[in-house]
Amino acid sequence: MNALATTMLKTRDAVDLAGATATDDVTHTQVPLKPTAAMLANGSRAGGVSVEVAWKIYLAMIREA
C-alpha cells in the first residue's frame, strides 16, 4: 500500500471515530500539495494531455479546494 492510500485510510478512520457512518459521504481527502511524478504521469495519460498540463490541472484543483 502506498503512502497516499495509507493517508486516505487514516483519514477515513478518523472520520469514522468522529461519528460518521459507513453510509455517510466523505467529500474531502488529504492529498499531497506536490504530486509525485507517477501521479502526474498517470494524470497525463488518463487525460490525454502533457505532464505540464496535468500539473496545472492538479494545482488548479488544489487551489479551488
Side-chain angles (χ1 to χ4, degrees):
M1 184 179 315
N2 64 34
L4 182 59
T6 301
T7 300
M8 289 176 14
L9 288 175
K10 287 180 182 177
T11 301
R12 181 68 215 189
D13 290 344
V15 170
D16 287 342
L17 291 174
T21 66
T23 58
D24 288 337
D25 287 333
V26 177
T27 60
H28 292 86
T29 190
Q30 294 178 354
V31 297
L33 291 177
K34 182 179 179 185
T36 65
M39 291 170 68
L40 289 172
N42 285 327
S44 172
R45 279 191 296 276
V49 296
S50 69
V51 171
E52 181 181 355
V53 170
W55 169 248
K56 289 178 181 179
I57 292 168
Y58 189 88
L59 289 179
M61 290 188 300
I62 294 294
R63 277 189 228 113
E64 184 61 29

